[in-house]
Amino acid sequence: MGSALSFEFGRLASNRALFAGLLVLLLVCVLALLGPLFVDDALARVGATMPRQPPSAQHWLGTDGQGRDMLTVMLLALPQTLKIGLVAGLISLSVGVALGLVSGFAGGWIDNIIRVGSDVMMTIPGIAILVLIAANVRVMTVGLMAVIVATLSWMVATRAIRAQTLSLRERGYIQVARLNGTKGLKLIFVEVLPNLLPFIAASFVITVSQAMLATIGLEALGLGPQNELTLGMTIYWAQFYGAVIRGMWWWWLPPILAISLIFIGLMMTSIGMDSFVNKRLGGRS
Amino acid sequence: MYADYVARRFGIMLLVIFLAVTINFVIPRLAPGDPIEAQLNQLIASGGGAAGDVQAMAASYRARFGLDQPLWHQYLAYWNSVLRFDLGFSLANYPERVSQAILAGLPWTLGLLGFATLVSFTLGTLLGGIVAWPRTPRFLRAAGSSLLVFSSIPYFLIGMILLYLFAIVWRVFPAGGGIPFGTTVGLNWSTVSGLAWHGTLPAISIVIAEIGAWALGMRGMLVSVLGEDYITLAEAKGLQNRRIFVWYGMRNAMLPQFTKLALTLGHIVSGAILVEVIFSYPGIGFRLYQAIQTNDYFVIQGIVLLLTISIAVAMFILDLIYPLIDPRIDGRGR
């Protein structure tokens, strides 16, 4: 009785985490989509206003050390940051799902190569290689950033999808489909992939959050797109001009809060999805 | 079985080291233009260093890398110099050697990282256990769970907030550096207290950000361990709650935490790099930041190589230890 009750409570709590996480992410996305429509791009240029002004009625979030209006900067930087995270997440998810499926289905030496490959990539600290690549690229852009980050965050999805493929492969309905003569791509796309969707969704959230973590780390080191506004670059410039030491909290706190909000939203979604996915699996087997 | 497992992990370590060195060799050669010339020209343009220095440096680099020789020859030569820990000179601080720069920063990073990881591992594991234990008071569990939220936020963001509050507003801790200026370093009280005074804020920001990750893992494990039959048996035997919690629950749930240590090592190091930057802590991470600022390419390359190789070796050592403490790991599951 007690355990059944706590189980129900756990389900509710996990759904609540999923719900809250998705809500936070939705809010952030709406802000990123609509925000840029209401601001004047010119205010985000160097020297557009008086520098180093604390928040006031005219500049709600004050101005930074180079005279940019912080509210404008924030609203323009948010969509760029999300774009890097989403594009990088999508690329590495596609690579991860493809490799995971191949690895799980093919087995043998192909499986071995993919496994060793992802093990090796997991061992290499991503940021080290990213630093090396970014330091060699002359002009960094948002798109290039996403591709670079994606090359080093496909491993988690690969491993998760491979493990699930291995277990799905042995299920009864797949065996039946096989006996019925379903082969190759049709088997993968019609029978396997739809059943992997919850895992793919869960991997996507983790991949996006890893990609964003790597991106913001690179940007904070000064290796991000110099000519574009992103949250990480805002933090880099604040750090570069000593905003913390000079007590200009309105310069570094808004990007920190925005980034934290995104990560908390992603984490709650991930936790919620995890128990959701596991419940489904537990219920079926 | 253990031999197979060790061989596999050793192979992966060698592969990582091979890849790291190769990537370090290939990436600069993929970039258009001559990196050395570009760097040196930039240096001259910014007015740093006398012309004689620059020529001497360029000559030394050309000789070192044998840039006029075939590619495979250059590759072998690169391996040769890496194996001798000869990573060239710093462009910004000539004639400082890259190996010297790394050795100067290494103790700081290892100390900060080792200490912070130890503390967060211990506290996080304990917290996770407390949160998962059904007899813990409800408010304590709620408070513990809310701490988990921090695990998702990048370390250095927490560091910036701490720096502002404790070093700028309240002036309790110093705003940067690793030790008070002018301290004679030795085995004395002023060294130890100086290190602790400067290290507190960076360490706390790593600990706050990390505790949640350890607690999350521990909570999940303990919940499943508490469902095992031997826990029911222990309860039926009438053992004390504390004894069940520590010796039957925590002890068994803790083992996977050690496995996680290896998997997150890279993540911890990446996070610590930026914490050092925020607090101007004189470790490898801050040196890397400075090198990026000054386009000091060989220092960047050297630090990247060192980070990759040392993480590969550390993971291999951890992998060797696991099967000894947890016989369930024998390489089949991984």
Side-chain angles (χ1 to χ4, degrees):
Chain A
M1 180 65 195
S3 72
L5 240 170
S6 75
F7 177 73
E8 278 308 311
F9 179 75
R11 249 171 89 127
L12 186 71
S14 74
N15 283 345
R16 211 194 282 158
L18 184 61
F19 181 71
L22 287 175
L23 195 71
V24 168
L25 292 181
L26 189 73
L27 268 176
V28 171
C29 287
V30 167
L31 202 63
L33 283 176
L34 298 182
L37 302 177
F38 294 99
V39 296
D40 179 10
D41 285 19
L43 281 177
R45 291 206 193 103
V46 173
T49 59
M50 281 273 288
R52 292 185 288 279
Q53 297 296 308
S56 62
Q58 199 187 354
H59 304 290
W60 290 1
L61 288 178
T63 63
D64 73 2
Q66 295 152 297
R68 287 184 282 215
D69 176 55
M70 274 309 293
L71 183 65
T72 315
V73 168
M74 285 293 300
L75 287 176
L76 292 177
L78 190 60
Q80 297 278 38
T81 303
L82 290 180
K83 194 167 116 192
I84 299 181
L86 285 177
V87 173
L90 274 178
I91 297 175
S92 49
L93 183 74
S94 334
V95 175
V97 169
L99 286 180
L101 277 174
V102 169
S103 184
F105 258 104
W109 61 272
I110 300 179
D111 180 35
N112 265 330
I113 288 179
I114 293 177
R115 261 178 66 203
V116 169
S118 68
D119 271 8
V120 166
M121 292 299 281
M122 288 261 238
T123 306
I124 295 179
I127 199 154
I129 304 301
L130 288 174
V131 162
L132 206 60
I133 299 174
N136 275 291
V137 174
R138 291 288 147 82
V139 184
M140 184 62 86
T141 62
V142 166
L144 188 59
M145 190 91 189
V147 173
I148 291 177
V149 168
T151 53
L152 287 150
S153 44
W154 49 268
M155 294 84 72
V156 176
T158 305
R159 288 182 138 204
I161 298 301
R162 174 181 172 272
Q164 290 311 320
T165 309
L166 281 180
S167 101
L168 271 184
R169 202 172 65 164
E170 305 306 325
R171 294 278 166 91
Y173 66 95
I174 300 285
Q175 306 283 17
V176 169
R178 271 206 172 149
L179 288 176
N180 281 343
T182 319
K183 273 198 199 111
L185 287 181
K186 197 179 171 207
L187 186 72
I188 288 181
F189 281 105
V190 178
E191 303 291 343
V192 178
L193 212 52
N195 290 296
L196 283 176
L197 277 180
F199 296 97
I200 294 178
S203 304
F204 181 59
V205 177
I206 297 175
T207 315
V208 167
S209 108
Q210 275 194 335
M212 290 196 61
L213 190 67
T215 311
I216 287 167
L218 271 189
E219 288 172 344
L221 279 171
L223 293 167
Q226 250 93 16
N227 302 321
E228 287 171 270
L229 290 169
T230 62
L231 294 177
M233 286 312 286
T234 312
I235 288 183
Y236 169 69
W237 292 121
Q239 169 71 16
F240 190 81
Y241 288 108
V244 178
I245 307 284
R246 287 151 84 180
M248 294 166 67
W249 56 267
W250 60 87
W251 190 355
W252 52 267
L253 198 58
I256 286 184
L257 291 182
I259 292 171
S260 306
L261 204 64
I262 297 173
F263 277 115
I264 289 173
L266 284 170
M267 188 186 81
M268 287 200 297
T269 312
S270 167
I271 289 179
M273 268 185 178
D274 229 30
S275 40
F276 183 71
V277 168
N278 288 335
K279 288 269 149 59
R280 244 193 74 158
L281 194 74
R284 198 194 287 148
S285 59
Chain B
M1 211 27 144
Y2 185 62
D4 274 5
Y5 169 79
V6 170
R8 184 178 153 81
R9 302 318 294 181
F10 188 70
I12 287 185
M13 180 186 77
L14 286 187
L15 206 56
V16 168
I17 293 176
F18 169 77
L19 268 180
V21 174
T22 307
I23 290 173
N24 254 304
F25 174 81
V26 170
I27 289 181
R29 282 167 179 78
L30 288 181
D34 181 349
I36 294 174
E37 213 135 83
Q39 300 280 343
L40 292 179
N41 282 337
Q42 214 156 10
L43 209 67
I44 295 167
S46 66
D53 278 351
V54 169
Q55 265 160 17
M57 277 160 68
S60 107
Y61 284 126
R62 289 203 190 291
R64 181 169 315 285
F65 292 110
L67 286 176
D68 43 348
Q69 304 199 333
L71 215 53
W72 62 269
H73 201 278
Q74 290 181 36
Y75 183 61
L76 291 182
Y78 184 67
W79 262 104
N80 185 26
S81 59
V82 166
L83 289 177
R84 283 185 288 116
F85 197 49
D86 179 1
L87 302 168
F89 292 92
S90 160
L91 288 168
N93 296 341
Y94 187 80
E96 186 191 30
R97 279 178 171 276
V98 174
S99 48
Q100 284 170 345
I102 290 176
L103 286 179
L106 206 54
W108 296 100
T109 303
L110 284 181
L112 177 66
L113 217 60
F115 180 75
T117 308
L118 199 69
V119 171
S120 55
F121 181 82
T122 315
L123 288 182
T125 304
L126 208 61
L127 182 78
I130 289 172
V131 170
W133 186 239
R135 291 177 189 85
T136 307
R138 177 163 275 226
F139 73 94
L140 212 61
R141 286 165 72 181
S145 305
S146 61
L147 254 180
L148 305 186
V149 166
F150 287 111
S151 69
S152 62
I153 302 172
Y155 302 3
F156 67 103
L157 298 183
I158 295 172
M160 281 176 102
I161 296 175
L162 288 181
L163 175 67
Y164 178 69
L165 290 180
F166 289 97
I168 311 296
V169 179
W170 296 322
R171 295 178 187 278
V172 194
F173 288 106
I179 197 160
F181 193 70
T183 311
T184 34
V185 178
L187 266 178
N188 52 39
W189 173 240
S190 67
T191 308
V192 175
S193 68
L195 283 176
W197 194 48
H198 278 258
T200 303
L201 282 186
I204 289 181
S205 23
I206 298 179
V207 169
I208 289 182
E210 276 235 319
I211 269 187
W214 295 119
L216 266 177
M218 189 62 191
R219 189 181 65 169
M221 266 323 287
L222 191 62
V223 165
S224 66
V225 164
L226 288 180
E228 298 276 349
D229 288 343
Y230 57 79
I231 298 283
T232 319
L233 179 67
E235 277 171 350
K237 268 165 52 181
L239 293 180
Q240 277 182 337
N241 274 336
R242 192 192 300 166
R243 196 181 151 92
I244 298 176
F245 177 65
V246 175
W247 292 106
Y248 288 72
M250 289 292 271
R251 205 167 68 127
N252 288 304
M254 248 181 84
L255 291 170
Q257 290 285 89
F258 290 106
T259 321
K260 222 177 126 195
L261 190 62
L263 288 176
T264 48
L265 212 57
H267 178 73
I268 298 173
V269 170
S270 313
I273 288 176
L274 285 151
V275 170
E276 283 183 5
V277 172
I278 299 293
F279 290 99
S280 317
Y281 200 78
I284 298 277
F286 188 55
R287 197 70 182 77
L288 179 65
Y289 174 73
Q290 285 177 324
I292 292 171
Q293 297 297 315
T294 51
N295 264 323
D296 199 341
Y297 189 76
F298 295 99
V299 174
I300 300 179
Q301 205 183 23
I303 291 178
V304 165
L305 195 62
L306 174 94
L307 282 180
T308 317
I309 291 178
S310 50
I311 287 180
V313 174
M315 277 177 78
F316 175 64
I317 294 172
L318 284 174
D319 279 336
L320 285 191
I321 299 174
Y322 294 141
L324 305 180
I325 57 175
D326 187 354
R328 286 171 295 186
I329 298 174
D330 59 2
R332 273 176 302 185
R334 304 222 288 155

